Amino acid sequence: MTKMVGPDAVSVILANPSPDSSSDLPEIIVQVLDLKPTGNRYMFSASDGKKKIKGIFQSSLSSEVISGNIQNLGLIRVIDYTLNDIPTKNEKYLIVTKCEVVSPALEAEYKAEVKSEEMTGIVLTPKQEETGIVLKPKQEFQTKSAAQIVHEQSGNMAPSARMAMTRRIQPLVSLNPYQGNWTIKVRVTSKGSMRTYKNARGEGCVFNVELTDEDGTQIQATMFNEAAKKFFDKFELGKVYYISKGTLKVANKQFKTVQNDYEMTLNENSQVEEAINEAAFIPETKFSFTPIDELGPYVNGRELVDVIGVVQSVSPTMSIRRKSNNETVPKRDITIADETKKTVVVSLWNDLATDVGQELLDMADKSPVVAIKSLKVGDFQGVSLSTLSKSNIVVNPDLPEAKKLRSWYDSEGKETSLASVGSGMSPSIKSGARSMYTDRVSLLHITSSPSLGEDKPVFFSIKAYISFIKPEQAMWYRACKTCNKKVTDAVGSGYWCEGCQKNDAESSLRYIMALKVSDASGEAWLSAFNEQAEKILGCSADELDKLKSEEGETAYQMKLKEATWVPHLFRVSVAPQEYNSEKRQRITVRAIAPVDYAAESKYLLEEMSKMNISM
């Protein structure tokens, strides 16, 4: 059986980079050359004997290659395709989304040599004994154009079905900012909440969705203002949509949540239609867990983390007033622990605080396991976690990690002494207080640069001796036992917490300490809060208050003196502060650890080796 390579097939493709299904194109038959795998797809070169173009088969066609239907040196009829520009290489890429096998492998690469005005094609035979090229006169075919077929089939279809018929669906991998019209078919695999913002240009609203196509490629789409209001209710998690008339730009690495070089923006003129024949399902959340004791290097970084832990405590909902727009938003803190025997506080915001947070509060006595995706790591209490609009929480997930964690907690974890990851940072790089040895500076470096931290707080590590603790200072404040915020005396008896909006019969004391530290370069005043101050003094604020009241001022001052002239490793933040109309530096202790002399010696040797000192 003879098979025909389409004359000038590559030229036809180049002349029609993104044809609609209504385009009346000649039959496109090319030879497959240099077929090779790349990931879950296959790359090749399409040849018509005169010209070649690099191409790739969509992943849905990989099975055709694996089964042997599509072969190297074989012929295919290209039915649906997209031509993608690669501006940096000044070349084009053919993405084949639908094709038919015309012939198995020929004996060799075909190269056109015979030209004839009477012939419209050059006919080849698959592998046989004779190797010559067989020429045949043009055959007459009675065919219908794509436009006729679409017109006949789409008359009574729903809008989404008509969009699918009249536009060629393109895979997400083929999109780039240099393309014009395109239509994609994607499932909503993540949907953020509607957020408001205020900047120099005014106020507005925004929300994001993560979209995934049938190949598993993902992209983040963002909508602002009118587009956000138009599409927020339309997009539903797990449903499939046809989308067109959006724009693409290079993704901002600081905010992107999926592996894609581009991000999409939809405006009020974009088209979004639900694919009504596609079954909806809530996609399984994919996690990449970071152990709690390894969170240190992520503090105040741009990278988001996923964690899994057993819930130790859940606070009531608090109302927090934003400084940016003076709005009040709900917040709830939960404390979780994992097999590293460390705990961390996770702040839940907005709907997560009121919905999932309430669910966790109701079942807190059962110590549920939670898996949380996309958390920002902050420096509150050394290390803390906070949810974002894109964060996702799964309670008691059906995951191997959750089963392992539950088994550990039930067998030994509930009886184990757990410590906060922030206060328990050790100086070893492996355990995460890598922050104790990165950005190591002298006190003089900080105090001689008053402009440090003007844009945002900067972080340093220092090794210093505590030289003085003010004995007459207000060493502590009375705090709510639930949220640790300051309480006031309630009417009648007890204490009133503004954060929790409730009276409580009891409260606790929490440190707020000012101390002077010294090193070889100079000295500076630091501020230390409860967890760090407890490590310095070796007792809680309640215990120190009891000591002062029962044993007197002398015992109290002796306790403070015992903590002086002891070396420590400090992780500090530096930011300017205005006091009595005067700007001054505020240096705050974020983490503290005793000096590990083996690790310290290793660090000093490494620093000496960088000096290139000749002996």
Side-chain angles (χ1 to χ4, degrees), residues 306-327:
D306 304 343
V307 297
I308 186 169
V310 180
V311 176
Q312 301 296 292
S313 63
V314 183
S315 77
T317 303
M318 298 168 274
S319 296
I320 305 298
R321 192 174 298 278
R322 285 177 174 160
K323 293 181 180 179
S324 58
N325 54 16
N326 212 32
E327 285 186 0

Side-chain angles (χ1 to χ4, degrees), residues 185-203:
K185 182 181 179 183
V186 289
R187 188 181 299 276
V188 177
T189 49
S190 177
K191 180 181 176 181
S193 58
M194 182 75 80
R195 311 187 305 279
T196 58
Y197 63 88
K198 184 177 182 181
N199 55 31
R201 291 177 290 181
E203 300 180 2

Side-chain angles (χ1 to χ4, degrees), residues 451-493:
S451 62
L452 283 173
E454 281 191 342
D455 295 328
K456 63 178 182 179
V458 292
F459 293 81
F460 298 105
S461 298
I462 58 175
K463 174 179 174 286
Y465 287 81
I466 297 172
S467 56
F468 182 64
I469 301 175
K470 278 185 177 180
E472 72 276 8
Q473 66 178 304
M475 189 79 75
W476 48 69
Y477 68 96
R478 194 162 293 280
C480 171
K481 284 192 169 184
T482 301
C483 69
N484 296 330
K485 295 191 178 297
K486 187 175 181 179
V487 297
T488 56
D489 291 333
V491 177
S493 63

Side-chain angles (χ1 to χ4, degrees), residues 296-350:
Y298 297 93
V299 170
N300 294 316
R302 294 181 175 181
E303 191 171 351
L304 304 180
V305 300
D306 304 343
V307 297
I308 186 169
V310 180
V311 176
Q312 301 296 292
S313 63
V314 183
S315 77
T317 303
M318 298 168 274
S319 296
I320 305 298
R321 192 174 298 278
R322 285 177 174 160
K323 293 181 180 179
S324 58
N325 54 16
N326 212 32
E327 285 186 0
T328 300
V329 294
K331 175 196 174 191
R332 188 193 301 266
D333 289 337
I334 65 171
T335 302
I336 62 172
D338 68 4
E339 291 171 281
T340 64
K341 301 179 183 179
K342 297 293 183 181
T343 64
V344 67
V345 175
V346 185
S347 295
L348 311 182
W349 296 89
N350 297 308

Side-chain angles (χ1 to χ4, degrees), residues 149-163 165-166 276-277:
I149 296 172
V150 170
H151 180 74
E152 291 174 3
Q153 294 183 357
S154 65
N156 297 318
M157 287 185 177
S160 59
R162 288 200 295 272
M163 182 185 286
M165 287 291 295
T166 57
I276 56 176
N277 294 325

